[in-house]
Amino acid sequence: MKVLVTGGAGFLGSHLCERLLNLGHDVLCVDNYFTGSKRNVAHLLSNSGFELMRHDVTFPLYVEVDQIFNLACPASPVHYQHDPVQTTKTSVHGAINMLGLAKRVGARILQASTSEVYGDPEVHPQPESYWGKVNPIGFRSCYDEGKRCAETLFFDYYRQHNLDIKVVRIFNTYGPGMHPNDGRVVSNFIVQALTGQPITIYGDGAQTRSFCYRDDLIEVMLRMMDTENGFTGPINIGNPNEFTMLELANLVIELTNSKSKLQFDPLPADDPKQRQPDISLAKDKLSWEPTTQLRDGLTKTISYFDGLISSGQYKPQ
């Protein structure tokens, strides 16, 4: 098939492109390189089935494809808060443009939504039936509400135009290929530990996250796209094993043999206290659950970041 991946030069998008090529598909990778990088897909350029296009999804795109994976949007707070208006436009206008394309060519389209649609949840763990607790005017709202609106658009196109949609809600994901300056907790802790800086913990470190390794996440996204029974989602994809920030920091220090000390800073506004997916639906509908343990995934990710730092590719900000 001919498959379009928006945000295809990003952390997850580049690995998705690689998997799709390995499955024998032709892949059109679209990215405006705000957070993505040509370096992430440079090894794919020699593949005759791969095409790279610089494009911003807030503008219409006219191509012929069979499937669309819509991953375009900065996903870390430091990046999506840099230009919050553009972040909202990417989620909302980008969804409208990609849905319009899917409608025109009759393509199946998958939306990479997020656990942030649940906000600071009052239900734990979070099932897909939970509507969330989101601040609509906060610093994180450009991303949270943008993704919520994108889901609305997907289901309105499904109901109004009978479009073939799939919606996945991605929980915290990590692995080789992450942006070293994306401000996410895994990349922050690893870079700080490898460079001997204090490891920054916000609040008391008791807040929790659930970390899913990159390869596990790409696998379930592919399974979701290939479902033929009319199942639309939304469906949670992520690792249900929950860790506190203190536990993660101490594990990173152990795996890197770092001398870094812990530094406690004030908690950012609207930072969720808990985040853990209920993946019962993914187990039932897709026969999927993650297989990579946090220690194993972190070891591979640390090796990747160590290579960036030792080769001089990492530039502190």
Side-chain angles (χ1 to χ4, degrees):
M1 286 186 289
K2 297 176 182 176
V3 184
L4 166 63
V5 181
T6 72
F11 162 48
L12 289 178
S14 59
H15 293 289
L16 176 59
C17 287
E18 187 170 354
R19 281 291 303 274
L20 288 165
L21 288 168
N22 290 340
L23 290 169
H25 301 303
D26 288 334
V27 176
L28 172 59
C29 171
V30 166
D31 208 296
N32 69 349
Y33 307 126
F34 175 60
T35 56
S37 169
K38 290 180 183 178
R39 184 174 63 243
N40 289 338
V41 292
H43 63 294
L44 304 177
L45 292 173
S46 60
N47 190 313
S48 60
F50 183 74
E51 183 178 356
L52 180 61
M53 177 189 296
R54 187 185 196 115
H55 181 81
D56 189 323
V57 295
T58 61
F59 297 94
L61 181 63
Y62 301 99
V63 293
E64 303 297 322
V65 293
D66 303 303
Q67 291 183 346
I68 303 168
F69 287 86
N70 187 36
L71 276 64
C73 190
S76 70
V78 69
H79 288 144
Y80 66 64
Q81 291 173 6
H82 173 73
D83 189 346
V85 172
Q86 184 63 24
T87 296
T88 303
K89 288 171 69 176
T90 300
S91 287
V92 178
H93 291 191
I96 291 170
N97 288 330
M98 291 305 108
L99 287 163
L101 171 61
K103 178 173 176 280
R104 182 178 69 81
V105 301
R108 175 176 292 173
I109 181 169
L110 181 145
Q111 167 67 4
S113 190
T114 172
S115 61
E116 298 297 334
V117 300
Y118 298 122
D120 190 3
E122 300 164 302
V123 174
H124 193 73
Q126 294 80 58
E128 291 85 354
S129 58
Y130 177 53
W131 290 355
K133 179 192 172 189
V134 177
N135 177 2
I137 58 170
F139 289 106
R140 302 170 69 101
S141 306
C142 58
Y143 185 69
D144 302 1
E145 296 288 34
K147 289 288 192 177
R148 284 164 69 95
C149 186
E151 286 196 17
T152 300
L153 286 161
F154 265 70
F155 279 90
D156 283 340
Y157 265 79
Y158 167 69
R159 288 184 286 258
Q160 187 172 340
H161 301 296
N162 198 32
L163 202 65
D164 190 358
I165 69 163
K166 308 288 180 182
V167 176
V168 297
R169 291 174 176 167
I170 299 173
F171 282 68
N172 291 61
T173 307
Y174 71 100
M178 293 182 78
H179 196 298
N181 295 315
D182 66 7
R184 299 189 206 189
V185 64
V186 171
S187 49
N188 272 2
F189 284 5
I190 292 176
V191 169
Q192 288 169 342
L194 289 173
T195 55
Q197 303 173 60
I199 292 183
T200 308
I201 293 180
Y202 296 102
D204 59 6
Q207 66 271 40
T208 66
R209 295 293 185 271
S210 305
F211 302 101
C212 187
Y213 188 64
R214 173 201 74 195
D215 295 5
D216 288 333
L217 195 91
I218 296 300
E219 172 62 29
V220 70
M221 288 180 70
L222 291 168
R223 290 192 194 186
M224 182 61 173
M225 179 61 99
D226 289 341
T227 54
E228 296 290 350
N229 55 5
F231 177 61
T232 62
I235 189 166
N236 291 336
I237 55 175
N239 194 316
N241 295 325
E242 190 179 17
F243 295 88
T244 68
M245 298 300 94
L246 275 176
E247 288 174 323
L248 177 67
N250 287 324
L251 182 55
V252 168
I253 288 172
E254 175 195 335
L255 293 175
T256 55
N257 292 314
S258 176
K259 304 297 183 185
S260 294
K261 304 298 182 184
L262 302 183
Q263 175 181 308
F264 293 85
D265 286 354
L267 201 63
D270 300 324
D271 190 58
K273 291 181 287 294
Q274 293 178 306
R275 189 57 60 71
Q276 181 188 18
D278 180 336
I279 63 167
S280 302
L281 199 58
K283 289 180 179 179
D284 178 50
K285 296 290 188 179
L286 306 175
S287 301
W288 174 87
E289 59 183 311
T291 59
T292 307
Q293 298 301 312
L294 182 61
R295 177 179 289 270
D296 297 332
L298 282 178
T299 299
K300 295 176 183 177
T301 309
I302 288 166
S303 177
Y304 166 76
F305 277 116
D306 194 30
L308 282 184
I309 293 168
S310 61
S311 66
Q313 295 181 63
Y314 165 66
K315 306 296 181 186
Q317 287 187 345

